[in-house]
Amino acid sequence: MLTEYEEHRLRLNVDGGFRIYRLRVQFSLLTIDASLEQLKATAKPHGEIITYLPTGEGAGADSIELDILMASKRTLSELEGLLGGMGGVILEVPRKRRASEASASPSDLPVVEGHLPVYEPRGSSTSVHAEEDRKPRAPSSVPPPEGKLGTVRSVTQTVRVDIQKLDRLMNAVSELAIVKSSLDRLFDRIRPQSSDRRSVAELVRLSRTFDRQLESMQQGILEVRMVPLGQLFERLTRVARQVGRNANKQFNLVVTGAETEVDKLIVEELSDPLMHMMRNAIDHGIEPPAVRAAAGKPEAGTIALNAFQKGSHVLIELEDDGGGIDTERVLEVALARNLINPAEVRSTSRRDILNLIFMPGLSTRAEAGEISGRGVGMDVVKTNISKLGGVIDVQSEVGIGTKLAITLPITLAIMRVLVAEVEGHTFAIPLANVREAVQLSESDVFTVDGHEAMSLRGSTLRLARLSSVFELEAARRPTRTAKRFVVVTMAGAARIGLVVDQLVGGRDVVMKALGGSLRAVRGFAGAADLGDEQLGLVLDTPSLYEEIVAGDRRRVAAAAGRSA
Amino acid sequence: MRALAKRGRATRQVERRQEDGGLTEYLAFRVGSSTYALPVSIVREIVRSGTLTPVPRAPNGVLGISSFRGRVVTVIDLGGLLGVACSVVQPTSGPIRIPRLRILMIDVGQETLGYLVDDVVQVYRLAPRDVESATTVGSDVGAHVTGIARPQESGEVVLLLDPKALLP
């Protein structure tokens, strides 16, 4: 697939009477940068390289095959002579008509002709390069059959769209939904007074159709944004192999769920965190073969990368059967760096200790590994994930392995929220993070370690009153306090009960970022139009949870300081 | 459409400025008991309706957020910034619907911010000679005032604001 610019260059070159060639070359991943530079330098005097397209086929584990689209005045044999040293296959992309007819209007370009076989090798014998033999890994020296050469042609069937354009579209649709709900309210008001029953019935019918269409429009835009995780996983696999080689670690990488679809933006943002996690698993997780053998494990470790959809979430798990995280060591480092207080060590659960790896400044490695330890730690991974509205969780057993699980919303474009009121303020809580909502009876509230909690189905639920978390002044006309609600909110595997005055209900909203002047304000992921010109602040529940728990830590530390 | 109209206005404004030899248009508005003015060129739009949603934990001077053409805009208490009381009550809780809301949308740095004012008066076209330098008038007007004008049309005192004073 070509970008607009590449297509433009291609057209220009075709219009300018250049021939279009396709070079199919295999590169070793280890040397691709250097080889590609060399190829570019060699080719440059003779034409213009328009684009590089990975073919996605024929490449081995440690090599990649690229189709290089090049425009040149030279003939095929000239080019073969010039670029002979590079290896690979050169094919000429023929024009639709013979040269005599080719008055080369842009529409003659094979790329734009969807119904034509776009790409035919011109005489298979000449297209095979002599240097072919030097590359035993290269695909068969016969050019692949026509049907397989879909790369260039597919331009006709697909459109590249700037994701911002989709955002604008989504915005328009949600504005439309807001207009619609206003219309509905108006209609409800007028309806009792109307005696024209046929018109009323007609309006009801139209309104339903409108809703359906609106929904399918929203759905359509969402679908457009979705891409499979496969490409990202492929890149991860390549990096993993290279990292493994450099670190002298042996492992098998098992990937499942590459077809799982996620919002394009999420995939982009996931790349760095996942790379880091993968490096960590290889560098810190999998032990050297000798150590594994001594521990009675198979010499080659296993790293499993799994993705699957679960409701409106996508779970991505990275699991290794390596040495696991040494919680004692984590505690030691955390204590040494003052990340936790000695007083709270005993009350810290194993889970909480493991979660310390997400704190800034904690690395259990004495010296930074050559592979990981490049400045981004697990804290950055966590921050990146929570920016996407996701959470990361860790499980680990010493000697058995480590499992990191990322839970992400499928899309960022539209969000289901629970609208709640606290002291007259309206907040939206992402439903993705809400487990349930229950009524609060103040008599059930008890105090543990200086904070409020209640018992929910046999387990203790930590409570946090949003009115005090946000220091909201009591509304002038106090809400009748009889019926408050507890919204049980998940932050990873941890949960917390947010106490609100009133539940308004569920909504589909488009979340918008707060302006730069409010970026420093913590606890909110953004704001959403709730209709009727009213904005609701969307709670950033993972960061709220963190803050509330961190507040406890500070309090405990302060108390310990006083008693000491 | 509106964007086009705006662009039309902007070009007209430029033309006019050329004709009149250095006339600058100022938008005059009231905050508290004083009349202030800013160059029209920096005011993107005047919003006359809407709801302000307060943001807990927001820095002082931020009244809340408001939805403006599909975007969320931070609204700033201009009176507070200037050290005069805006007659609009500081919201204590919940969204406030201000009956005669006047928000000036102004591009400040990378962001478009809304500034709450009490009322928008009119546009004055002022030549440099109409403007007295603030330093000659005295120190009681505050550092954010660059000059003072007394347009003949109304005779009222208009304090010209330094756009830099708008930074929250």
Side-chain angles (χ1 to χ4, degrees), chain B residues 69-96:
Chain B
R69 294 189 190 230
R71 279 165 64 193
V72 174
V73 174
T74 308
V75 179
I76 299 208
D77 174 17
L78 187 56
L81 213 59
L82 300 176
V84 291
C86 199
S87 57
V88 176
V89 213
Q90 185 89 15
T92 46
S93 72
I96 41 168

Side-chain angles (χ1 to χ4, degrees), chain B residues 31-101:
Chain B
V31 182
S33 54
S34 309
T35 304
Y36 294 89
L38 278 166
V40 167
S41 54
I42 69 163
V43 180
R44 268 185 87 176
E45 194 157 348
I46 303 164
V47 177
R48 287 162 199 273
S49 73
T51 311
L52 261 179
T53 304
V55 179
R57 301 172 163 191
N60 274 342
V62 171
L63 287 174
I65 50 176
S66 191
S67 183
F68 164 61
R69 294 189 190 230
R71 279 165 64 193
V72 174
V73 174
T74 308
V75 179
I76 299 208
D77 174 17
L78 187 56
L81 213 59
L82 300 176
V84 291
C86 199
S87 57
V88 176
V89 213
Q90 185 89 15
T92 46
S93 72
I96 41 168
R97 205 177 281 275
I98 299 168
R100 281 171 60 237
L101 185 75

Side-chain angles (χ1 to χ4, degrees), chain A residues 175 423-425 427 469-470 472-473 475-476 512-518 521-522 524 527 529 532-535 537 547, chain B residues 49-51 53-59 62 64-67 69-72 74 76 92-95 97 111 113 168:
Chain A
E175 299 285 318
E423 300 294 358
H425 291 258
F427 296 112
V469 172
F470 293 133
L472 305 177
E473 283 171 43
R476 260 166 262 153
K512 288 158 191 166
L514 297 180
S517 47
L518 293 177
V521 178
R522 287 184 44 203
F524 304 110
D529 214 321
D532 215 11
E533 284 190 333
Q534 200 198 324
L535 286 173
L537 287 158
E547 182 191 315
Chain B
S49 73
T51 311
T53 304
V55 179
R57 301 172 163 191
V62 171
I65 50 176
S66 191
S67 183
R69 294 189 190 230
R71 279 165 64 193
V72 174
T74 308
I76 299 208
T92 46
S93 72
R97 205 177 281 275
E111 201 183 347
L113 291 172

